[in-house]
Amino acid sequence: EAEVAQSPRYKITEKSQAVAFWCDPISGHATLYWYRQILGQGPELLVQFQDESVVDDSQLPKDRFSAERLKGVDSTLKIQPAELGDSAMYLCASRRYIGTVGETEAFFGQGTRLTVV
Amino acid sequence: GNSVTQMEGPVTLSEEAFLTINCTYTATGYPSLFWYVQYPGEGLQLLLKATKADDKGSNKGFEATYRKETTSFHLEKGSVQVSDSAVYFCALSDGQLTFGSGTQLTVLP
């Protein structure tokens, strides 16, 4: 069964360092999301891609976060410099189809647990 | 903007008890509605979905009905098991996927 792949599973980094996360969506899924989930809360959207284009990055802290999906397949989320408050689970999700009728579900990877010390 | 409101947890039940987790939403248009489940340290897994009004999603004994008139999508299960212990998230989608804050369910043997 196809899965969304994320790496690394766990990352510990020092404050002010750079950190990057990678996501490989399910083949054929045009839509890709990055979410941040703080412990005990629901996922919050950081950025949404349709193929290689950013559809929504209104909640992405652009002074320190960046995301790219250059060939419309896999994606990288970067934080530079990391701050203590960035400690969270970073989830990647993909979905095959979105539209006005009968949207398909999103499939999630296992996430990257980031700890900033 | 869109939003999802879930009943506050945590919820603790005995095995074989009846479960209801309330979910209401605010959205323009006609979103699709989902319930996801998250086990400790894992990503989210789809539990069930409904794409239009009056649709009933069901899976693994869980059910939820898309009620447009009350803007609700409450999750129910007639007899919970210890293995159902997890965090449950209600979500809506109209292109962007928006989640509620989650409800922690613990089922005791």
Side-chain angles (χ1 to χ4, degrees):
Chain A
E1 182 175 300
E3 295 182 343
V4 176
Q6 286 189 251
S7 66
R9 281 295 306 275
Y10 305 94
K11 181 69 177 179
I12 300 174
T13 191
E14 293 184 347
K15 188 175 60 172
S16 79
Q17 294 299 303
V19 64
F21 315 128
W22 177 79
C23 172
D24 190 12
I26 293 172
S27 177
H29 283 197
T31 303
L32 184 147
Y33 306 91
W34 282 102
Y35 285 88
R36 177 170 59 187
Q37 186 181 21
I38 295 170
L39 192 63
Q41 299 182 19
E44 297 177 321
L45 180 68
L46 292 174
V47 61
Q48 177 181 343
F49 289 92
Q50 183 68 23
D51 298 310
E52 67 276 11
S53 300
V54 173
V55 173
D56 185 351
D57 64 356
S58 58
Q59 301 303 310
L60 187 71
K62 298 182 188 63
D63 57 335
R64 298 186 300 108
F65 286 64
S66 64
E68 60 183 18
R69 193 184 184 198
L70 292 176
K71 296 182 180 179
V73 181
D74 58 336
S75 175
T76 302
L77 178 70
K78 297 179 182 177
I79 308 174
Q80 182 173 17
E83 296 180 353
L84 295 177
D86 295 332
S87 295
M89 175 82 89
Y90 290 82
L91 295 166
C92 179
S94 70
R95 68 197 306 187
R96 179 173 53 84
Y97 170 76
I98 59 172
T100 57
V101 178
E103 296 188 14
T104 61
E105 63 270 27
F107 293 84
F108 282 80
Q110 291 190 301
T112 296
R113 169 72 66 188
L114 173 66
T115 302
V116 182
V117 297
Chain B
N2 297 340
S3 66
V4 177
T5 302
Q6 285 183 237
M7 66 182 286
E8 293 184 8
V11 174
T12 302
L13 296 173
S14 297
E15 205 166 26
E16 299 184 2
F18 184 85
L19 168 70
T20 299
I21 301 177
N22 289 337
C23 170
T24 57
Y25 67 91
T26 302
T28 55
Y30 305 96
S32 295
L33 301 175
F34 305 88
W35 276 100
Y36 282 84
V37 59
Q38 187 176 35
Y39 298 99
E42 301 293 325
L44 278 69
Q45 302 174 23
L46 179 70
L47 181 59
L48 53 84
K49 68 177 182 180
T51 58
K52 61 183 187 297
D54 300 325
D55 266 3
K56 178 185 283 188
S58 61
N59 185 28
K60 300 179 181 179
F62 291 90
E63 292 184 341
T65 301
Y66 190 147
R67 301 288 189 198
K68 188 171 183 297
E69 64 276 12
T70 54
T71 62
S72 65
F73 193 54
H74 305 321
L75 182 68
E76 296 182 336
K77 186 174 186 181
S79 176
V80 293
Q81 305 300 311
V82 172
S83 57
D84 294 327
S85 298
V87 181
Y88 292 81
F89 292 94
C90 184
L92 71 81
S93 178
D94 59 355
Q96 185 179 102
L97 191 57
T98 303
F99 287 88
S101 57
T103 302
Q104 170 77 55
L105 170 66
T106 301
V107 181
L108 303 175

